[in-house]
Amino acid sequence: MLPQFYQTCFQKLLTPTQYKMLQILLLLLQFHKTVTMEKLATVFPQPIRFESRRRSIQRFLLLPQLSIQFLWFPLLKHWVKIRKFKQGKRLTFAIDRTQWRDQNVFIISLIEDKRAIPVYWQLLPKQGASNLQEQKALIRPVLRLFKGYRLLLLGDREFHSVKLANWLQSKEIDFVLRQKQDTYVRQSNSSYQPLSTLGLVPGVSFFYQGIQATKQKGFGLFNLAGYYPRKYRGKVEPCGWYLLTNLNTIDAAIIAFKCRSGIEAMFKDCKTGGYNLESSHASGQRLMALILLIAIADTCTVLAGRQWRQKGLQKYMGRLQQLKRSHRRHSAFWLGLYGCLWVGAIEFWHDLASELLTRA
């Protein structure tokens, strides 16, 4: 299941026993699509008592080696290398936060080929929105990890702060941050007005350069893109986008922000669409380790799905098109996840399958 460069990286960083344990847990995630401790212990292939299996998994999740910096960052560096991202290339990241049970998970992801790859995450010891200091703490490790690359950061309305925009600009980071409608802006030679008064309606877009995005003094000038897609097939979006950015054109800002949808797909993969993280009661270091396992499994699955699609195997794994659907029915993640189950079933039931084909 693991790509070769994953295997090489893990064999260097883990002991043989730790590496085998990691492989088993990743396979269980793929086949049973859950990170619930009790379910993993139930199906863990070891001839010992259930409670011993459960404690064995719990101890593994507390290993210091199972950390983002030790295990995940080296893999990401290699990922960027094999994807041939040259120094100076602009990499796009999305920042977001999600509530899983009582856990507030704050995450920044690399957007690559319409997919979000989790890069770094933290558990916030509170509910509700993040503040500027927490946002900086999440972004700084990414700056160090991808030193030498140009970075573009995308954020939804939680990250509308002009203080964040100002800090990103000081770090020479490009950004597109969606704004709330009640944000006040001012164009040159005019007074402050809320974004909701700028006349953004379906089918309208605009781009203003050199605007002030707060009444507070001491902040630089930014650009503002407004975009509201027109009504399509009888449907219209509930509201348009107000995008604060330091990009120079409206097309660049809109195209960039559309990439942010990749992080929503990633959250779905982690939850009901894939590994059902919300069913886990883990917390603290164990939850961080489970998210790491999901990050590894998710990227392996996407890579497998892409390879099978390139080989034209997707037609064997599911229906390709659906009536009134303009895009592919299944993502690379879906193909990788269920393709793995299909291949595994063929191997496990090889004799019965061969006999069925012979009689047919």
Side-chain angles (χ1 to χ4, degrees):
M1 186 196 81
L2 287 173
Q4 184 59 50
F5 75 92
Y6 279 57
Q7 297 180 36
T8 302
C9 182
F10 293 152
Q11 287 170 348
K12 289 180 180 179
L13 298 172
L14 301 173
T15 67
T17 301
Q18 292 167 351
Y19 176 55
K20 290 177 182 177
M21 186 75 170
L22 177 65
Q23 284 183 300
I24 292 172
L25 287 176
L26 290 173
L27 284 170
L28 294 180
L29 256 66
Q30 298 295 70
F31 278 88
H32 297 282
K33 298 186 285 299
T34 182
V35 290
T36 305
M37 200 70 62
E38 184 169 343
K39 291 182 179 179
L40 289 176
T42 300
V43 297
F44 194 81
Q46 205 172 19
I48 57 177
R49 292 182 178 180
F50 170 82
E51 283 300 324
S52 297
R53 298 199 301 271
R54 186 172 63 84
R55 287 194 295 269
S56 178
I57 296 173
Q58 288 177 332
R59 286 194 298 268
F60 177 74
L61 294 177
L62 291 176
L63 287 175
Q65 292 91 334
L66 212 64
S67 70
I68 302 171
Q69 290 86 347
F70 182 83
L71 201 62
W72 188 233
F73 279 3
L75 196 62
L76 286 175
K77 286 184 177 179
H78 199 74
W79 176 291
V80 169
K81 182 179 179 180
I82 66 168
R83 297 295 289 176
K84 298 180 181 179
F85 292 154
K86 297 180 180 179
Q87 290 282 309
K89 175 183 173 64
R90 189 169 73 184
L91 303 181
T92 301
F93 295 85
I95 185 172
D96 209 343
R97 179 185 56 83
T98 186
Q99 195 79 28
W100 289 331
R101 289 188 179 271
D102 59 343
Q103 303 293 329
N104 200 357
V105 184
F106 196 25
I107 188 166
I108 184 168
S109 301
L110 171 66
I111 305 296
E112 194 265 341
D113 196 15
K114 298 182 180 181
R115 296 292 305 185
I117 302 169
V119 175
Y120 185 62
W121 53 93
Q122 294 179 340
L123 300 181
L124 300 182
K126 63 176 186 179
Q127 293 188 354
S130 59
N131 59 43
L132 180 61
Q133 294 308 313
E134 292 163 341
Q135 293 162 7
K136 289 181 179 179
L138 188 75
I139 297 169
R140 284 192 179 107
V142 177
L143 298 182
R144 293 190 291 268
L145 182 65
F146 294 102
K147 186 178 181 180
Y149 292 93
R150 294 173 54 208
L151 306 185
L152 168 64
L153 184 73
L154 311 176
D156 209 353
R157 282 170 288 196
E158 178 179 332
F159 311 100
H160 70 283
S161 168
V162 68
K163 293 181 180 179
L164 175 61
N166 203 61
W167 181 76
L168 292 171
Q169 189 143 284
S170 71
K171 297 294 182 180
E172 298 182 346
I173 300 174
D174 294 333
F175 61 86
V176 183
L177 305 176
R178 190 176 178 185
Q179 301 295 294
K180 297 181 178 180
Q181 292 189 25
D182 58 0
T183 300
Y184 276 79
V185 298
R186 184 172 74 124
Q187 303 177 56
S188 59
N189 301 322
S190 64
S191 58
Y192 281 99
Q193 60 185 125
L195 292 175
S196 58
T197 64
L198 296 181
L200 188 61
V201 295
V204 167
S205 61
F206 57 73
F207 190 71
Y208 301 136
Q209 293 182 304
I211 63 103
Q212 290 180 307
T214 177
K215 294 181 179 180
Q216 299 179 38
K217 296 182 179 180
F219 295 98
L221 301 178
F222 307 101
N223 299 331
L224 178 71
Y227 173 70
Y228 203 148
R230 66 180 67 252
K231 188 175 182 179
Y232 181 69
R233 289 185 175 178
K235 295 182 180 180
V236 62
E237 296 294 325
C239 58
W241 295 346
Y242 300 97
L243 307 175
L244 191 70
T245 182
N246 55 357
L247 300 180
N248 294 324
T249 67
I250 184 173
D251 289 341
I254 293 171
I255 290 171
F257 195 75
K258 284 181 177 180
C259 295
R260 189 193 160 276
S261 61
I263 201 168
E264 303 296 343
M266 183 196 71
F267 284 148
K268 182 180 178 181
D269 295 345
C270 293
K271 295 183 179 181
T272 54
Y275 302 111
N276 291 287
L277 180 61
E278 71 275 20
S279 64
S280 173
H281 292 272
S283 60
Q285 186 175 340
R286 287 197 182 105
L287 178 59
M288 293 287 283
L290 284 176
I291 297 174
L292 175 58
L293 291 181
I294 287 177
I296 296 170
D298 180 79
T299 51
C300 289
T301 301
V302 170
L303 286 174
R306 289 176 180 174
Q307 290 176 354
W308 287 335
R309 179 171 282 157
Q310 289 172 357
K311 293 178 180 179
L313 297 178
Q314 69 270 27
K315 58 189 175 184
Y316 295 99
M317 299 173 184
R319 200 164 83 189
L320 300 184
Q321 295 292 336
Q322 189 173 351
L323 188 64
K324 296 183 180 180
R325 194 183 187 118
S326 59
H327 55 278
R328 291 190 186 113
R329 188 165 182 259
H330 298 307
S331 65
F333 173 80
W334 192 98
L335 291 175
L337 188 64
Y338 288 94
C340 178
L341 297 178
W342 177 65
V343 172
I346 288 178
E347 293 179 353
F348 188 78
W349 301 103
H350 178 268
D351 293 340
L352 285 176
S354 298
E355 184 179 348
L356 180 64
L357 288 173
T358 301
R359 290 186 177 182

